[in-house]
Amino acid sequence: MLARVKTERDLKFDVGGTFFRHESATGRDLGVLAAALYKKSKGKLRVLDALCGCGIRSVPYLVEAEADFVLANDANDENRKVITENLSQVESGSGDEARWAVSLTDANRIMTECYLKRDFFDLIDIDSFGSDSSFLRSAFNALKLNVCCMLLRLMGSRPAVTGLNKLSYVQPMPYSNELGLRMLIGGAVREASVLGHRVTPLFTYYSYHGPIFRVMLQVNRGKLPDNKYYGFISYCNSCRSSKEYSWAELGRISCPCSDSKALVVSGPLWTGPLHDTAYITEIETGTDLDKLLNQMVAESDPKLPFGYIKLDEVASCAKVNSPSLRAVVFALQETNCPMEDCVRIAKQLRQR
């Protein structure tokens, strides 16, 4: 029998009969770091862990992010004992000084009840296996919107088969994992706009196991101007070119190679940056997350296009052997180019 007691970041947890993966630690760490930054910036932090499982995220919010209060909720009443025991590592307090509480009800219900009682939270963590789309509106309502507040999301299954895909049409493209993140954010943008809110991503994270799509969103009042960063992405299976289209350009989608049969389109979804440079650079950590955060900073340049191009595909289009990756990257640092320019550079490098 597998041991029920696990250790993560020096904190011990009894996972009981809940679903647990050590591989998800990075996603949990990112959430705790974001919470700690928020507490440092605002001075106060109230967290709602809406689908807490055994409480493996709730305890680090209390201990590492020093949250003032955490409400740990799970719909499975059988988890009551294990959640309470895990949170008991932190003094519970009482009354206005309470540090944590346990609730056992449906996530939508607890968030709606908090909204009706005007009991708002700075950060809401939604860790669901499957589609989170049914929780979005309730989560937005329960967030504190008079400050720079955040919503943390986790999806534990492929977006193409979840409820978020009901209002998006996603075609197979080489960067399918990135499309999953963009569709996840796009679904949040749609729901938030109905309520008059503006949603922007602070960071995004994909992990192959599950697979997992994790997004930290900042929510403020006011809709995105002119559908900014909310549109469509095309990809040509013939020349491998990608392009972004706004709603106004939807009827004029085409490809430079004129092979319309090879063109596929996905959307509507988020087409803007996946990370916020200013936000990520504020996160302080001496852990193994530094490399990941530095990669996020490199990817957060708003001038960078979406998606990516595989070097072997560039070589295939150029009809040459694959050039040195270092040489290609060095050449590309001087420009921001579409696929046809990548092909031209690959040919030039092979002729040297």
Side-chain angles (χ1 to χ4, degrees):
M1 180 180 294
L2 295 175
R4 298 191 342 159
V5 177
K6 310 290 182 180
T7 301
E8 189 168 290
R9 299 294 184 197
D10 297 326
L11 294 174
K12 291 186 177 181
F13 300 88
D14 183 349
V15 300
T18 63
F19 182 79
F20 171 82
R21 271 192 176 138
H22 270 302
E23 297 89 340
S24 299
T26 298
R28 290 190 284 268
D29 288 342
L30 287 170
V32 173
L33 283 172
L37 177 60
Y38 185 94
K39 174 64 184 288
K40 180 180 178 181
S41 172
K42 302 297 180 180
K44 292 184 178 181
L45 173 65
R46 301 183 79 250
V47 178
L48 169 55
D49 192 356
L51 297 100
C52 72
C54 67
I56 196 166
R57 293 177 310 284
S58 300
V59 177
Y61 282 137
L62 287 164
V63 175
E64 298 175 350
E66 299 181 352
D68 299 280
F69 176 75
V70 172
L71 176 56
N73 178 75
D74 196 88
N76 189 349
D77 189 69
E78 294 180 0
N79 294 337
R80 179 190 300 272
K81 182 179 179 181
V82 70
I83 297 171
T84 303
E85 288 180 350
N86 286 331
L87 266 68
S88 294
Q89 299 178 64
V90 179
E91 189 69 33
S92 62
S94 60
D96 294 337
E97 302 297 322
R99 291 290 312 282
W100 55 265
V102 176
S103 171
L104 295 142
T105 187
D106 175 77
N108 272 321
R109 179 173 179 176
I110 190 64
M111 289 187 286
T112 300
E113 289 177 350
C114 290
Y115 165 69
L116 293 174
K117 293 187 296 185
R118 303 189 66 79
D119 183 17
F120 300 115
F121 291 84
D122 301 293
L123 188 148
I124 296 180
D125 188 327
I126 301 178
D127 181 351
S128 74
F129 188 87
S131 171
D132 323 72
S133 57
S134 61
F135 302 120
L136 276 172
R137 190 166 301 191
S138 298
F140 287 137
N141 284 332
L143 276 169
K144 190 185 298 180
L145 288 173
N146 61 336
V147 294
C148 182
C149 52
M150 294 166 277
L151 168 66
L152 183 64
R153 299 285 315 283
L154 175 71
M155 177 170 286
S157 63
R158 297 190 182 277
V161 296
T162 66
L164 284 174
N165 197 33
K166 292 178 180 178
L167 296 177
S168 292
Y169 185 71
V170 180
Q171 294 270 42
M173 295 182 181
Y175 37 89
S176 58
N177 298 331
E178 180 178 324
L179 281 181
L181 290 168
R182 293 188 177 281
M183 191 173 69
L184 183 57
I185 301 169
V189 169
R190 285 194 299 270
E191 288 293 328
S193 64
V194 173
L195 301 173
H197 303 329
R198 181 175 71 255
V199 168
T200 52
L202 296 178
F203 68 74
T204 64
Y205 173 70
Y206 167 81
S207 179
Y208 70 93
H209 71 278
I212 301 298
F213 299 83
R214 196 141 174 94
V215 178
M216 173 64 80
L217 303 172
Q218 178 173 301
V219 186
N220 295 106
R221 295 195 183 279
K223 296 182 180 180
L224 284 172
D226 302 322
N227 292 321
K228 186 179 182 181
Y229 299 140
Y230 185 62
F232 301 83
I233 291 175
S234 70
Y235 175 78
C236 180
N237 286 297
S238 179
C239 69
R240 276 84 162 184
S241 294
S242 295
K243 190 175 179 181
E244 172 191 348
Y245 290 89
S246 67
W247 285 83
E249 298 171 313
L250 188 55
R252 301 193 298 272
I253 294 179
S254 61
C255 181
C257 74
S258 302
D259 187 355
S260 59
K261 293 183 179 180
L263 195 65
V264 293
V265 180
S266 295
L269 38 69
W270 177 260
T271 59
L274 294 176
H275 317 293
D276 185 297
T277 305
Y279 176 79
I280 297 172
T281 52
E282 287 186 44
I283 298 178
E284 298 178 0
T285 173
T287 69
D288 52 2
L289 289 177
D290 285 337
K291 182 178 179 180
L292 174 61
L293 293 173
N294 289 332
Q295 182 178 342
M296 287 181 176
V297 171
E299 294 174 346
S300 61
D301 186 344
K303 295 181 181 179
L304 288 176
F306 50 83
Y308 55 83
I309 299 173
K310 295 181 180 179
L311 186 56
D312 58 348
E313 290 185 355
V314 176
S316 175
C317 288
K319 295 181 172 56
V320 298
N321 293 329
S322 294
S324 163
L325 176 60
R326 178 175 295 182
V328 172
V329 171
F330 180 79
L332 289 175
Q333 286 176 340
E334 300 180 0
T335 182
N336 178 20
C337 60
M339 183 64 170
E340 54 265 32
D341 287 344
C342 291
V343 171
R344 174 180 53 78
I345 290 173
K347 288 180 178 179
Q348 291 173 347
L349 290 173
R350 294 305 301 175
Q351 292 171 357
R352 292 179 182 177

